[in-house]
Structures are given as C-alpha cells and as structure tokens.
Amino acid sequence: MRTRPSPRKIFFWALAPLLVFRLWLAAALPITGDEAYFIWWGKIPDWGFYDHPPMIGWWLAAQLALGEAAWWLRLTSVLQPFVIAGAVAFMLPRIWPEIDDERRWWATLFTLLAPAAVWNVLITTDTPLIYFSVFSGLAWLRAGNATAHDDSYGWYLLAGVFLAGAVLSKYFVAFLGFAYLVDALWRPSRRKLAGLILTYLCILPALALMAWWNAGHCWPNVMFNFINRHGGAGLSWQTPLLYLVTMGYLLTPPVVWRLARAVRTSTGSARTKSLVVLAFVPLALFALLSLVKTIGLHWVLSFLPFVFMLLALKLENPALARIGKFILGFAALHVVAFIVMAQLPLETLQRSKWYNSAVLAFEGERIAARLKPYEKDYVLASDGYADAATQGWNSRHYFFVFGEASSHARHDDVLTDFRPLEGRNILILKKSAPEPGEYAEYFHDVRVESFTLRGTNFYLVLGHGFNYPRYRASVLATVKRKYYAIPAWLPQTACYFCQRYFPEASCRR
C-alpha cells in the first residue's frame, strides 16, 4: 500500500521550485508605480513620509545602498513566505507542545503556498508589516503559554518590540494591537494584563517619533489616512461582497468552509482561544470597514498565518491532507498561469483601461531615451504620482508632479518647491492628450509633442517660462484647501506647504 508523502516532505520539495519562480517573477515584472514611489522614499530617506509610517523607506534605503536591480529590491518580499512559514514551523511546537508533527507541517505548508504567497513579490508597506506583525503575534502567543518556569515577560517584551516595528510600517497594525487587548480582557490575569502593558509600552517611542515628525510636517499621515482619502466612502453592498470574495481567494474556499465548521463547534483551550482572537478579530474589523470602503487584497495578509495555524489545530490530519491537495494544485495553477501570461505580447492588454500604464512600466527605458534630449533645457514632470514615480525610476532622474493630482501619494509636496521653478522650462509627460489651453496660464508659451509606443500615445507638454504666481493662485491654493485643511485639535509645530507657499495664512480649518 502506497503512503502519501508527509507535509514536511512536500514542504521541502516545494521550497526550491517556489523560490525559483518567485525570483524569476521579481526579475521579470517591471517596477510598478507604488513600488517606484516607495523606492524614491529609500533614495531620499527621512524620519517620515506623506502617506505611511517610515519603515518601508528605511527598509529600501538599506537595500539601495547595495544595489538597484528589481529582483534585489524585491528580495525581502520574495523571501517572505519562506521566512514566515519557517517562523510558524519553529514556534508552533513551542506554543503548543502537544501538537503532532503532521499538523505542524500542514500549517507551515499552507502558509508557504497560500495564493498570495505564490505570486506576491511586490514592494509594499505591507512587506515589513507582515514580518513584524507575524513575529509579534507568535511572541504574544508564546507569552500566553508561559509556565511558572518561563520568562513570559521576555516574550511580551519581544512581542512589543516587533509590534513597534509594525507600527512604523502601517497603521492597520492597530487591529493587531486591539486583538491583544481583546485577548487580555477575555481571560484576564495579573500576568496577562502586565504583559499587555509592557507590550504597549514598547510602541510608545515609535508613536512619539511619528507624532513629532507629523507635527512638523502638516500631519500628512493623519490627513491622508483618516480625512482626505475617504471622500468617496459610504455604505455599499458591493464592498462587503468583494471582501468576502477576496478572503475566499486568499484563504481558498476549502479552508474557509472547513474552518467555519470547525470554529463553530468549539473554541478549544485557552491558548487556542488566543489564536482565534489573533486570527479573527482583525479580519472582523476589516469586515466592518468593508461596509464603507474597499479592502485592499494586501491589507489582510499579516493575519493569514494565524488562520492557517488555527486550521491545523482544529482539523484532523485526513481533512488537512485533502485541503493540502487543493492548495498544492491551486499554487501550481498560479505558477502555470503566470508563465503563460509572460509569453503573451503586451498588446494582448491593449483593450484594457490600464494598457497605457502597462506600456509606461514595461517600456520605461525606451521612454526615458525619448526624453533624454530634453533634460538639459527642461525640468521633468508628470501629471500623476504613479506616472512620475515610475518614469523617474526608469530614467533614474526624479520627476516631480505638475498639477493638482489626487489625495494619494503626495510626498512630492514635501520634496518639490515650485518657487525656484519660476521662469524655468518644464516638460510634463502625459498619457492622455492635454485639453486645449489646459496649461497656457502657467507658462509664457506651451508646445505639445507626442510619440507612439506599442500602439499607445504619449504626450509631452513643453512649457516655457513657468508662471509661479499664477500656479500658486490656482493649483497650490486648491491643493491647500483640499488636502491641507488641518483640524485645529492637532498640535502643529510647522507645515512645509503653508510656510512655503502661504506664509500669510495657516493650514487650519
């Protein structure tokens, strides 16, 4: 009778093929707009950045010191599933000593081969967030399993240190911090509550750093994350449904189905209850948020390893083996799909609304060559943040943002000062034809050129003699009103935008 391979063997068999695939994908994909935006953070590091805490900028600054190849800058993302799965394999028997080896490796294998773990090699703020959040959660669970002979406070301290790193990565870590509070209050004890306080104390320096930087920079993190970006938010039946579909994909349907049945029957031991809290309290908060806002696929990735750990604890090995077959097949399907798509010509996407953005990304070097002759006489810009960051990266020459743009990714407001550009010539790269007279009031004269690349048109607005006073009165005044109306209750030490352009008027509501 043939015996099926153990999950441990499958895990180690899967390591090399998955690593090769992810390295290939990291090298083959062009740098996307968000990635280029964060890479510029690394190129011009600071204590903070416009729309997120500073960790990804620091992360990339360290990598950029050693190289600029796409696969290298994405390496921490490429290696993430392997590191996280290894942490799960290492910590599970230390949190649950009674767990059998097969369950342990099923949890590890599911973490390694979950859909997003197969293909997600992109640089995002979630890259450091996932590392720090999972490590913090594992330390918290280990601290909760302490005996009289354990140094549980050492584990709480470690959970707090990692939580501080997550705080400096992205604000959604608040959901994990809230889960710790729920867990401590669900079954309170003196040691547990003291551990919670110790964990929270560890994040105070990170919060203080962020408050100090934001107070001296117009509070951009608060304005972006809690005020400016939610103009279109509102109750919708579509966004909760989309969230359910997203979770069904990320966890896979058999995992969702079996876990729903398993959790409904019993919650298990006190230690398992802590894991239930860490797995589902953040996801439940995202479900509530989905009532009014679209939940990004990458937002929830920090909490999926806890779900896979819970699955391994709740199900019997035969059921885990059946789920394992599905996840293995699903992972293989993703690999085949990406390899097939890589063989298709870019023009396959020509009818999609983002085809011109794809051309900008894939053909960035050719576009840079087109723009090279203009660099001597023009300051280079684009009309959108993603395009400016992408083409700036492809050209290895910073592109600033000309025009109002959107509420997203406005770190260029910090970097670019329009006052010294008075009288200068500016080239604005656009993916759509400018409206007649659109730029006339900002320059002494304007000429428009265009070129076609892979079936899509790109336009060069060549503005001569930039009129800063007119730009200030029109564009910058609108930007101030829409994005820098800082609430009076926020203490402010400085604001680059108003001090630079409107020293006579404060940035206050």
Side-chain angles (χ1 to χ4, degrees), residues 175-349:
F175 290 0
L176 180 62
F178 181 72
Y180 292 167
L181 176 64
V182 172
D183 185 38
L185 296 180
W186 188 3
R187 47 188 184 90
S189 67
R190 178 177 294 181
R191 180 179 287 270
K192 191 88 169 183
L193 294 174
L196 178 69
I197 293 172
L198 178 60
T199 300
Y200 281 178
L201 285 174
C202 290
I203 69 174
L204 293 182
L207 294 173
L209 171 65
M210 291 159 59
W212 165 78
W213 186 85
N214 274 269
H217 292 79
C218 319
W219 289 97
N221 289 181
V222 173
M223 296 300 294
F224 171 71
N225 286 286
F226 304 105
I227 299 175
N228 293 336
R229 71 185 300 188
H230 302 297
L235 283 173
S236 169
W237 63 268
Q238 294 174 312
T239 47
L241 180 61
L242 179 61
Y243 177 66
L244 291 176
V245 172
T246 299
M247 294 309 303
Y249 167 71
L250 292 174
L251 290 171
T252 72
V255 169
V256 173
W257 172 250
R258 294 306 299 264
L259 196 58
R261 295 178 59 191
V263 172
R264 189 172 65 246
T265 56
S266 67
T267 54
S269 66
R271 285 171 293 153
T272 306
K273 289 178 182 177
S274 292
L275 183 56
V276 171
V277 170
L278 264 60
F280 291 121
V281 165
L283 298 183
L285 292 173
F286 278 120
L288 288 174
L289 186 59
S290 75
L291 295 172
V292 296
K293 190 169 184 63
T294 301
I295 304 301
L297 180 147
H298 55 294
W299 293 3
V300 301
L301 299 181
S302 299
F303 310 106
L304 301 190
F306 303 122
V307 176
F308 294 127
M309 290 167 59
L310 183 62
L311 183 76
L313 290 171
K314 300 293 288 184
L315 298 187
E316 298 297 328
N317 283 317
L320 292 172
R322 288 191 290 273
I323 293 173
K325 288 181 180 179
F326 179 89
I327 287 183
L328 274 169
F330 204 34
L333 182 63
H334 279 78
V335 171
V336 171
F338 273 93
I339 292 174
V340 169
M341 285 189 293
Q343 311 310 311
L344 299 175
L346 187 60
E347 285 75 11
T348 306
L349 307 174

Side-chain angles (χ1 to χ4, degrees), residues 37 40-42 44-58 213-214 220-221 411 414:
Y37 181 63
W40 281 110
W41 286 9
I44 312 172
D46 201 346
W47 291 108
F49 303 97
Y50 181 86
D51 38 347
H52 293 294
M55 183 59 71
I56 190 62
W58 299 349
W213 186 85
N214 274 269
N221 289 181
H411 192 66
V414 182

Side-chain angles (χ1 to χ4, degrees), residues 8-194:
R8 184 178 184 277
K9 283 186 176 180
I10 299 172
F11 174 81
F12 284 104
W13 287 345
L15 286 179
L18 182 61
L19 179 59
V20 169
F21 171 72
R22 287 175 64 81
L23 284 171
W24 165 76
L25 198 59
L29 288 175
I31 293 292
T32 63
D34 282 354
E35 290 181 293
Y37 181 63
F38 299 136
I39 289 170
W40 281 110
W41 286 9
K43 280 182 167 289
I44 312 172
D46 201 346
W47 291 108
F49 303 97
Y50 181 86
D51 38 347
H52 293 294
M55 183 59 71
I56 190 62
W58 299 349
W59 201 275
L60 288 165
Q63 289 182 263
L64 284 163
L66 299 175
E68 293 191 351
W71 71 267
W72 165 250
L73 296 177
R74 288 167 167 162
L75 188 60
T76 52
S77 298
V78 169
L79 297 178
Q80 189 160 78
F82 306 94
V83 176
I84 298 301
V88 169
F90 180 79
M91 290 299 295
L92 261 177
R94 287 161 176 80
I95 302 169
W96 287 274
E98 70 276 13
I99 192 171
D100 66 73
D101 201 53
E102 197 162 351
R103 289 171 183 261
R104 170 196 180 191
W105 286 102
W106 280 125
T108 304
L109 185 64
F110 297 161
T111 302
L112 180 72
L113 295 181
V118 173
W119 58 262
N120 183 21
V121 298
L122 304 180
I123 303 164
T124 68
T125 51
D126 301 271
T127 301
L129 174 70
I130 294 168
Y131 280 113
F132 288 123
S133 295
V134 173
F135 293 162
S136 178
L138 291 173
W140 175 269
L141 292 169
R142 179 63 182 82
N145 189 35
T147 66
H149 304 290
D150 282 331
D151 180 16
S152 64
Y153 290 120
W155 285 104
Y156 282 123
L157 178 64
L158 192 60
V161 170
F162 284 130
L163 188 64
V167 165
L168 289 170
S169 301
K170 197 165 188 175
Y171 285 103
F172 283 132
V173 71
F175 290 0
L176 180 62
F178 181 72
Y180 292 167
L181 176 64
V182 172
D183 185 38
L185 296 180
W186 188 3
R187 47 188 184 90
S189 67
R190 178 177 294 181
R191 180 179 287 270
K192 191 88 169 183
L193 294 174

Side-chain angles (χ1 to χ4, degrees), residues 295-489:
I295 304 301
L297 180 147
H298 55 294
W299 293 3
V300 301
L301 299 181
S302 299
F303 310 106
L304 301 190
F306 303 122
V307 176
F308 294 127
M309 290 167 59
L310 183 62
L311 183 76
L313 290 171
K314 300 293 288 184
L315 298 187
E316 298 297 328
N317 283 317
L320 292 172
R322 288 191 290 273
I323 293 173
K325 288 181 180 179
F326 179 89
I327 287 183
L328 274 169
F330 204 34
L333 182 63
H334 279 78
V335 171
V336 171
F338 273 93
I339 292 174
V340 169
M341 285 189 293
Q343 311 310 311
L344 299 175
L346 187 60
E347 285 75 11
T348 306
L349 307 174
Q350 198 158 12
R351 293 189 177 182
S352 69
K353 64 181 180 180
W354 40 269
Y355 174 66
N356 53 3
S357 295
V359 174
L360 183 71
F362 278 94
E363 299 291 350
E365 292 185 3
R366 292 177 64 184
I367 295 173
R370 291 264 190 170
L371 301 182
K372 188 70 175 176
Y374 297 93
E375 291 182 5
K376 181 180 178 181
D377 298 320
Y378 293 85
V379 185
L380 303 184
S382 187
D383 62 341
Y385 287 94
D387 293 348
T390 301
Q391 194 52 44
W393 164 251
N394 290 326
S395 303
R396 301 302 193 268
H397 184 104
Y398 186 76
F399 278 54
F400 72 91
V401 179
F402 193 97
E404 181 184 326
S406 70
S407 64
H408 293 270
R410 300 195 65 91
H411 192 66
D412 184 70
D413 288 352
V414 182
L415 299 178
T416 299
D417 186 345
F418 283 92
R419 294 172 300 177
L421 297 178
E422 168 70 21
R424 299 285 301 276
N425 298 334
I426 297 175
L427 182 156
I428 306 162
L429 175 67
K430 292 175 63 69
K431 296 181 299 190
S432 59
E435 297 293 329
E438 181 179 355
Y439 293 94
E441 65 176 309
Y442 308 126
F443 297 96
H444 293 310
D445 66 84
V446 177
R447 188 173 81 253
V448 177
E449 298 179 0
S450 66
F451 62 90
T452 301
L453 195 60
R454 303 196 76 154
T456 192
N457 295 323
F458 292 92
Y459 299 86
L460 307 181
V461 177
L462 304 174
H464 303 109
F466 175 58
N467 187 334
Y468 164 70
R470 184 68 59 83
Y471 189 84
R472 173 187 180 273
S474 179
V475 175
L476 296 177
T478 301
V479 168
K480 175 181 180 293
R481 185 181 69 254
K482 293 178 69 172
Y483 305 123
Y484 290 92
I486 303 169
W489 53 267

